[in-house]
């Protein structure tokens, strides 16, 4: 079976593709934005495609032509929203499977306005897929409320536990230039409003009143406007040496940041299930997470993680409790790694996803012509509307 995996620039699409590559006869990986480092995939025999020189990204029209040349038996899309997904469904010549990740489905809770026509395309696109992998039971329930009847599985995906594993804190800090005597709080999520980074910074400001040796390290891509706002908060609350904005780091460096940290904190207000936390738990790093329904599918407060309301005073209080009880916090982290071994081992979840693709995405199956024509017209209208008003 020949599959074509399409990513709009999702960082975790690379390890997921690596986890399924061995189960198919031929695998193509399409990186829409050309920003993914896919040398490892090429080393596994995966055929990789990115934008041509001079093009910033592969457009929907270009993707359609590329799919015609590849002629896959199955298309796998990461993220059920955007041109890559809509163009894949419009292609119509083979089954489409999709990994539904979070904000693609929970667009009403995000920080980006999603026009009504775009929302309609997401729902109709999902109704024309052959299989859906949802990153949480919560996400699966929302998709069913959209009226989608396609076969669906809950798959937390998770981490490569050979890569994300425990290691010496002092050695990791030495490699990263962090002092041994400080307490390191790590925020590894994208710097945008959905992840409430400003609230984390404000909570850290409160924490510093009782934990003066604490350092906050912020990783991840940034919304430039929002990052400026966060930096203004920092300048009003904290000394320069108490916080680091590191930016995006590659997957090879990431485990050291987890191992170097006393606590990883994530306060997302909306998502599928945080893969970042599964990576941190794989490294046996204690985590504090904001209380949204989906995290409680795998996490239990005080057992394998700490969970609290997304409120600066409560966040600061729980961070202080964790730092004041290092033995109990580390015992909790050890249970966290056991949770990842059972639910978030990407090698196991990749094999399961591959089996489900083979079961539900039959070779030579095509989208009914009428469905294809209706969806293609809807997609064309969306593209015209976007061109006129953006």
């Amino acid at each position: 079976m020949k599959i074509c995996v399409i990513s709009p620039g999702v960082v975790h699409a690379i390890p997921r593709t690596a986890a399924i590559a061995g189960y198919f006869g031929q695998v193509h990986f399409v990186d829409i934005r050309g920003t993914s480092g896919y040398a490892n995939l090429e080393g596994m025999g995966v055929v990789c495609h990115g934008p041509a020189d001079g093009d910033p990204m592969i457009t929907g029209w270009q993707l359609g032509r590329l799919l015609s040349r590849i002629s896959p038996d199955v298309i796998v899309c990461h993220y059920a929203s955007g041109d890559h997904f809509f163009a894949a469904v419009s292609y119509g010549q083979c089954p489409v499977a999709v990994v539904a990740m979070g904000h693609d489905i929970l667009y009403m809770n995000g920080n980006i306005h999603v026009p009504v026509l775009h929302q309609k395309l997401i729902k109709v696109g999902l109704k024309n897929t052959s299989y859906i992998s949802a990153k949480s039971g919560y996400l699966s329930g929302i998709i069913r409320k959209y009226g989608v009847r396609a076969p669906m599985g809950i798959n937390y995906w998770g981490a490569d536990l050979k890569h994300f594993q425990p290691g010496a804190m002092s050695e990791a800090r030495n490699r990263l230039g962090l002092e041994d005597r400080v307490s390191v709080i790590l925020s590894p999520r994208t710097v945008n409003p959905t992840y409430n980074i400003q609230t984390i910074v404000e909570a850290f400001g409160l924490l510093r009143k009782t934990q003066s040796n604490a350092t906050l390290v912020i990783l991840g891509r940034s919304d430039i406007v929002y990052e400026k706002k966060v930096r203004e908060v920092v300048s009003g609350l904290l000394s320069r040496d108490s916080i680091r904005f590191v930016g995006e780091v590659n997957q090879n460096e990431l485990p050291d940041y987890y191992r170097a940290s006393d606590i990883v904190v994530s306060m997302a207000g909306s998502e599928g299930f945080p893969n970042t936390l599964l990576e941190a738990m794989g490294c046996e790093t204690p985590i504090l997470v904001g209380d949204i329904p989906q995290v409680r599918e795998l996490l239990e407060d005080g057992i394998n993680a700490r969970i609290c309301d997304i409120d600066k005073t409560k966040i600061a209080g729980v961070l202080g409790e964790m730092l004041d009880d290092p033995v109990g916090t580390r015992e909790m982290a050890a249970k966290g790694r056991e949770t990842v071994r059972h639910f978030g081992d990407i090698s196991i979840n990749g094999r399961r996803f591959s089996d489900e693709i083979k079961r539900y995405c039959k070779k030579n199956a095509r989208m009914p012509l009428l469905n294809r024509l209706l969806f293609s017209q809807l997609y064309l209208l969306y593209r015209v509307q976007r061109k006129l008003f953006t």
Side-chain angles (χ1 to χ4, degrees):
M1 180 179 277
K2 183 196 300 184
I3 69 165
C4 180
V5 181
I6 306 174
S7 168
V10 175
V11 65
H12 292 112
I14 296 288
R16 289 179 202 146
T17 303
I20 68 175
Y23 299 104
F24 298 96
Q26 188 176 139
V27 179
H28 290 253
F29 179 80
V30 179
D31 178 15
I32 295 295
R33 296 187 179 277
T35 55
S36 301
Y38 39 72
N40 289 345
L41 292 182
E42 291 177 325
M44 299 174 66
V46 175
V47 182
C48 296
H49 310 265
D53 290 343
D55 289 339
M57 62 186 296
I58 299 174
T59 65
W61 173 74
Q62 291 169 330
L63 178 58
R65 293 184 62 189
L66 178 59
L67 290 172
S68 294
R69 292 200 302 271
I70 295 171
S71 188
D73 298 312
V74 179
I75 297 169
V76 176
C77 285
H78 290 275
Y79 204 74
S81 176
D83 270 329
H84 76 294
F85 176 55
F86 304 150
V89 175
S90 294
Y91 174 67
Q93 300 301 302
C94 67
V96 175
V98 64
V99 179
M101 295 175 56
H103 298 148
D104 47 347
I105 307 303
L106 305 172
Y107 46 75
M108 300 303 291
N109 301 328
N111 61 305
I112 300 173
H113 172 67
V114 178
V116 172
L117 183 56
H118 192 144
Q119 296 178 26
K120 180 72 172 177
L121 273 167
I122 293 171
K123 293 177 181 179
V124 177
L126 287 168
K127 290 177 182 179
N128 283 285
T129 57
S130 296
Y131 180 71
I132 300 167
S133 170
K135 284 198 67 189
S136 65
Y138 179 81
L139 207 60
S140 172
I142 298 297
I143 293 170
R144 288 299 185 215
K145 288 181 180 179
Y146 290 168
V148 177
R149 297 289 175 261
M152 181 158 44
I154 298 166
N155 193 329
Y156 299 102
W157 286 95
D160 178 353
L161 296 185
K162 295 177 183 177
H163 185 55
F164 293 98
Q165 60 177 308
M169 177 183 284
S170 59
E171 293 177 7
R173 289 190 176 189
N174 184 55
R175 286 190 287 269
L176 298 175
L178 292 167
E179 298 179 35
D180 278 333
R181 63 181 180 83
V182 302
S183 298
V184 177
I185 312 297
L186 177 67
S187 169
R189 313 304 303 276
T190 302
V191 183
N192 73 36
T194 298
Y195 296 107
N196 292 303
I197 306 302
Q198 179 177 334
T199 304
I200 293 172
V201 168
E202 291 170 345
F204 181 71
L206 296 176
L207 177 71
R208 285 273 294 187
K209 293 177 181 179
T210 57
Q211 301 279 349
S212 59
N213 70 332
T215 294
L216 176 63
V217 177
I218 299 177
L219 301 185
R221 298 188 304 272
S222 290
D223 174 311
I224 296 173
V225 174
Y226 182 69
E227 182 182 332
K228 182 179 179 182
K229 183 178 179 181
V230 172
R231 285 183 179 272
E232 288 172 355
V233 173
V234 170
S235 65
L237 288 176
L238 300 158
S239 60
R240 290 184 180 180
D241 61 351
S242 67
I243 188 166
R244 290 189 182 190
F245 285 86
V246 177
E248 194 170 6
V249 300
N250 65 50
Q251 289 288 299
N252 291 330
E253 295 178 284
L254 200 47
D256 266 346
Y257 279 96
Y258 295 138
R259 295 171 190 141
S261 301
D262 292 274
I263 303 169
V264 167
V265 60
S266 172
M267 289 292 145
S270 171
E271 60 186 332
F273 191 92
N275 202 83
T276 302
L277 292 187
L278 296 174
E279 294 171 349
M281 292 162 70
C283 293
E284 219 166 280
T285 303
I287 63 170
L288 170 60
V289 59
D291 194 0
I292 54 177
Q294 46 273 56
V295 303
R296 290 186 177 270
E297 294 177 25
L298 296 185
L299 307 181
E300 187 176 353
D301 184 36
I303 303 300
N304 56 2
R306 290 301 309 270
I307 303 172
C308 76
D309 293 338
I310 303 173
D311 171 85
K312 65 182 180 181
T313 303
K314 293 182 179 180
I315 296 166
V318 177
L319 287 173
E321 291 172 12
M322 295 173 76
L323 292 175
D324 287 340
D325 182 19
V327 174
T329 299
R330 284 291 166 183
E331 289 175 352
M332 184 181 66
K335 292 177 182 176
R337 180 167 169 83
E338 287 302 307
T339 300
V340 177
R341 287 181 60 192
H342 283 95
F343 297 100
D345 184 335
I346 199 170
S347 63
I348 295 172
N349 291 336
R351 181 176 67 241
R352 180 160 61 88
F353 178 75
S354 301
D355 290 343
E356 289 161 344
I357 290 293
K358 292 174 182 177
R359 178 180 177 185
Y360 294 112
C361 299
K362 303 300 183 184
K363 289 179 67 172
N364 302 319
R366 296 188 177 191
M367 185 175 176
L369 181 59
L370 180 60
N371 288 23
R372 184 184 177 193
L373 288 173
L374 291 173
F375 185 83
S376 296
Q377 288 178 346
L378 193 64
Y379 179 38
L380 178 61
L381 179 62
Y382 160 80
R383 291 176 65 184
V384 170
Q385 185 185 76
R386 191 176 60 178
K387 192 173 184 66
L388 289 175
F389 296 103
T390 59

